[in-house]
Amino acid sequence: MRWKDFIGAHSHKGGLRRRLLLAGLSLLGGALILNTMAGLYYTRHLILRSSAQLQAEIATRVALEIEEFMEDRLTRLADLAASISLHGSGSDEQKQLAALLLKNERSFEQIAILDERGREALKVTETEIRRANELSDQSESQEFKSAMRGERYIGPVYTPNGPYMTLSLPIRAGSGKIIGVVIGTARLKVLWDIVKNIQFGRAGYAYVVDGTGTLIAYRDTSMVLERRDLSALPEVREFLRKPEMAGDAPAAISRGIDGEDVLSTHAPVKKLRWAVVLAEPAAVALSEIATVRWYAFLPLGMGLLLGGLGISGAANRITKPILELQRGIRSIGAGSLDHQVESESGDEIQELAEGFNKMALELKNFSATQEQKVDQRGQEVAALYDVSTALNKSVDVQGILSAVIAKITEIFHFEATRIFLFNDAMNELEMRASFEADLEYFRGTRGFKRGQGIVGHVANSGEALIFEDVWTDARYAALSKTKALQNAQRHFFAAFPIKNQSHVFGVMTFNGEAPRKLTGDEIPLITSMAEQVAVAVERARLFARVQTRSQHLTVLNEIGAAVSHSLDLEVILGDAVKKVVETLSFDACWIYILEPSEPCLRLRAQTGLSAETAQSVERRPVERGITGKIFETGQPLVSEDLTNDPLYQKISSASKVAELGFKSSAGFPVVANHEIQGVFHVVSYSRHQFTAEELQLLEAIAHTIGVAVEDARLFVEVKDKTLELEKANQELREATRAKSEFIAAMSHELRTPLNIIIGHSELTRDGTFGAVNEQQQAAMQKISRNGRVLLKMINDVLMLSRIEAKKMSLDVATVEIEEVIEQAQTYVEQLKRDHHLEVSWHIDKNIPPVLTDSMKLEEILHNLIGNAFKYTSEGSIEVRVRDLPDKGRVEFSVADTGVGIDPANLGRIFEEFEQVKDSGKNGGVGLGLSIVKKYVELMQGDIRVESEPGKGSKFTFSIPRSVSLHS
Ligand code: ADP
């Protein structure tokens, strides 16, 4: 990654300052908020606690008040009981005492006095004294029973006509004996008013419940009158669970009497088992909190603001030097190494900045050296580039070498630079290019053998040798043969191999006047240049090879074209030798071909020899001399230097070729049709070095010549054969024509007398010329029958010759098969006269009319049926005609139960004059079936035969329903 990238990649994350600010603010904000929240919580807690305290105080006070009130009433009543015990039950004194109490103590509504049996002795209200008849028995009441047990009785509150409560006490005599009971009905209104009027906070209120949780005092009187059950309210439940205990402080939020959330507490009125409950709506009680909150958040905001400013200042102070540092890095990244970072922070950052400045300075120094190095490297690379461009520009090795030498001299300033390359045979190093400050020096050392001297050694080992000073280097003394450098007063010498992975192509040498050390950069550069030269040399060699190859191919191609251009051997060979000398660098070329009649080789084509010379070497023996040797062995003979070649000397001491003044020669056998037919030879006056490719090419040319010789020979052969055949054919045609003419003429000439013979013999037999005896009659019969057989033969021969002479054509008409069959049946009737054979006819019904030659169809049937009779002595004959509508043909067959035909003869019976042996006695010349076959074919039909010797034969033929007239 480059400097710039490095900085860029990190600077975008940005804001160290922002992050500091963010962290500071979030810390400060968190702390402030926590503080405020805690304050608020605590305030709330205080409010709850103080309100609970207040409530508890009030509740306790009210409970006490109620208790005191009740205690007061009981004391009054006890006083009355004590005073009335001195008087008789229901006495006037008692009445007056009671009335007095009512009058003084307005909180009693009524006083009743019971005797010890529970009967009311008197009953006094504020306004009246009950009469005796209004008095009742209260012996069963709780008031009486409790008091009689000596207890104080405090009854439940009852509400109709205002809240009241009954109290009772025993009346004791001086002895302590209970002699009656006093019952007082206390008015509770005063107490109620107290409860009603209790107010605290902004909406606090109180109520009183009895020991069952029933509401007995509250500001809403109607609810009291309803005697509402409040035992489900949390505060009341708490009281009912622990009647002796006051409510917990601080007050909890619970449900109030009207179902709203309240802060409440209670205090028990122990003696009455009542509870005073105080409640204040939570919303009202805690309304303070909202105000407090407002006051709390204001400082929070202020705190954050001030804190933010403070933190921002601090962050700036920290980040400023860092940003400065960053700017410094950026400008160094951008290349200005002079940049110095200013920082007086006096802390680690300043240390960092100083370190950084130092580093920048070092970097500057380093980069200066680097630049220098890069410059030098650049020069070297440029040199290398120049060299390789020079190399790439051409395949001319010489040009390349000069360019390389020039470049090396320019860069390294050696006194001499020389390039040696191996010659083609790879055994000698030749100097191919050089730069030499002093030309005279190395005159003697322009070539080395492989392994000879330092150059030869490097070429062998493929390893460079560098001598800083040849005067002091022992290796130089050991390796150098000429000591040329010392003679030339030179000190520095180096030899680098020119090589690729597999080959050393040569050596490059450098020398200098003064001792010199090649640097670590120079050695690889020179090595690279040497490698480049190797590449170029190899490429040039390859190029030359490819060029020769393509040239050779062209030559071969041209020769190929020349020889296939004609089939005349003289022309072919003449063209070939001309082409060879034209395209390849030879002085002469010739071809000898074997002369079959006399075993010798004859010069058939040449170029480059004088007519005289050619005349003198026109014939060479097959077994002697160089040409004879090549012909005999079938092996090429090549020599670069005929005069000094022992092999050539041995073959012919006075070689004709050498005699003619040729120096190099190469001869190849010409092979045609797997046999050596001649010799192909190239020669040159000067010494010619034959390369492998060249020899291959010459061999290929010899081969091409062989093919051409063979072709020409074949052509001549074929031409002669064709001529012969043509002649024979002509003769044959003549003969056939003559034969046909002769047969036609002869047949015609024979028929006339034969007909006369047959006619007259029959007339004689029938007694036209006078009576004949039986013997004469039989003789006449024989003459007539044999005459007819003869006539048939002549007719057949005539017919056949007409067919052969193509004088036979179809006489096409619409033919009813039925008519043809009728005709055949008439013929059968005739035959039956001589042979008594059963003939059955199976003719398909409704065969449509056929378009064909009816006469020939009848003739075919006559022949087949006639044969069936001829070759059957007993049994039957079956004639069938089938319609084959699918094929559009009609099929006829004639089958017999006669002698049959040997399978070996089946193929021959349709040929002319073919008779199966021993069947001749039946009278015939073997023409019938061949006429049948020719007719069937003429009618575009086909015929076949199946037969088994001894069992019979079946001939089947089919013809198209309508013959095509155009084929
Ligand atoms: P040929 O005049 O001898 O009958 P063909 O050409 O008619 O001459 O017959 C050739 C030969 O085929 C006959 O010599 C005979 O051997 C044989 N051949 C022809 N038809 C029959 C047949 N129906 N049964 C047996 N052999 C037959």
Side-chain angles (χ1 to χ4, degrees), residues 436-472:
E436 300 181 31
D438 188 346
L439 275 173
E440 286 309 302
Y441 270 137
F442 302 102
R443 202 140 257 188
T445 52
R446 297 199 166 259
F448 295 93
K449 290 236 157 13
R450 193 180 263 279
Q452 183 197 354
I454 294 174
V455 172
H457 180 82
V458 169
N460 247 9
S461 69
E463 300 295 333
L465 279 176
I466 303 164
F467 306 93
E468 275 179 57
D469 188 348
V470 295
W471 293 86
T472 57

Side-chain angles (χ1 to χ4, degrees), residues 302-315:
M302 293 292 287
L304 278 176
L305 192 71
L306 290 174
L309 285 173
I311 288 167
S312 152

Side-chain angles (χ1 to χ4, degrees), residues 796 863-864 866-872 894 896 898-901 908-911 913-920 922-931 947 952-955:
D796 283 355
N863 266 304
L864 293 180
N867 276 354
F869 270 90
K870 237 197 290 185
Y871 299 106
T872 307
V894 178
D896 60 52
V899 293
I901 308 160
R908 296 196 295 125
I909 54 171
F910 291 107
E911 281 166 28
F913 302 103
E914 273 305 332
Q915 277 186 315
V916 175
K917 269 195 185 128
D918 304 330
S919 60
N922 293 299
V925 285
L927 282 178
L929 283 182
S930 65
I931 290 171
S947 180
S953 316
K954 182 181 178 189
F955 288 82

